Amino acid sequence: MSTITSDSTAQIVSSFGNLSTDQKLALLWYIYKEVGKSITPAAPGASTASPAIAEGIFQQVLAMSHEEQLQVQRDIIDRKDGPVSQEYGSLSDTTKLLFWYFLAQGMDRTEIVPMPEDYTLEANASQCLTQLQALDHSEQITVLRDFVAPMGSESTKL
Ligand code: 45D
């Protein structure tokens, strides 16, 4: 990877970190919508993700009211403590990304609280999106993984 590239990915990750909680959620949603078309679930065994574990945590969120679903997602992003946030914190980075992917698919099926129709990205969040779109596919995955890696609570080891 060239220096220029790793500089720009680090910069995107750091601007993402400076966004508000809700702007992070909104930006992830737009990324799923824009970049998500090219997401191809890895061939079985070809990735380090644990689909069954990601699915199990997704099911817990699914069983909640829309209000609770939103709260639990905000808590994960804010690294607040809670059962779901703790389980999330114990996942590998790739499984964390897969969990967000399941949530986004759940939103597509209207099983997970949808984005308000009039909700828009602030300038710094949409700049993040534009910069991410300029990267190639594998860099995009790396950046996404870096977005979701620090999220969740690690206060108690499971
Ligand atoms: O009322 O299989 C707001 C690999 C405002 C490998 C809101 C992979 C207020 C293995 C907060 C906006 C890792 C490569 C409401 C796969 C308000 C493998 C709500 C790839 C209601 C698949 C906002 C995975 C909400 C990849 C609820 C690339 C927003 C995964 C929720 C990428 C947003 C996943 C969500 C992405 C966004 C997921 C859930 C980009 C999820 C995005």
Side-chain angles (χ1 to χ4, degrees), residues 22 25 28 39 42 47 73 94 97 100 104 107 114-116 119 141:
D22 282 11
L25 274 175
L28 283 173
I39 301 172
S47 110
Q73 292 180 70
T94 304
L97 195 52
W100 283 109
M107 290 171 78
M115 286 276 295
Y119 199 84
I141 304 279

Side-chain angles (χ1 to χ4, degrees), residues 78-132:
D78 292 338
R79 315 186 65 180
K80 291 214 182 109
D81 205 10
V84 173
S85 198
Q86 267 181 32
E87 285 182 62
Y88 177 94
S90 72
L91 302 175
S92 74
D93 295 349
T94 304
T95 307
K96 286 176 179 170
L97 195 52
L98 191 58
F99 168 73
W100 283 109
Y101 184 62
F102 286 163
L103 284 174
Q105 288 184 312
M107 290 171 78
D108 268 342
R109 297 189 301 263
T110 68
E111 294 170 358
I112 298 289
V113 56
M115 286 276 295
E117 255 161 48
D118 53 356
Y119 199 84
T120 51
L121 287 182
E122 287 160 14
N124 45 0
S126 69
Q127 201 195 347
C128 235
L129 180 60
T130 310
Q131 290 172 330
L132 186 92

Side-chain angles (χ1 to χ4, degrees), residues 41-97:
S47 110
T48 51
S50 307
I53 296 172
E55 176 70 27
I57 305 179
F58 169 74
Q59 288 297 332
Q60 292 178 45
V61 179
L62 196 58
M64 297 174 178
S65 69
H66 276 191
E67 235 175 17
E68 292 170 316
Q69 289 175 350
L70 178 56
Q71 192 54 50
V72 86
Q73 292 180 70
R74 285 174 167 153
D75 287 352
I76 291 171
I77 290 183
D78 292 338
R79 315 186 65 180
K80 291 214 182 109
D81 205 10
V84 173
S85 198
Q86 267 181 32
E87 285 182 62
Y88 177 94
S90 72
L91 302 175
S92 74
D93 295 349
T94 304
T95 307
K96 286 176 179 170
L97 195 52

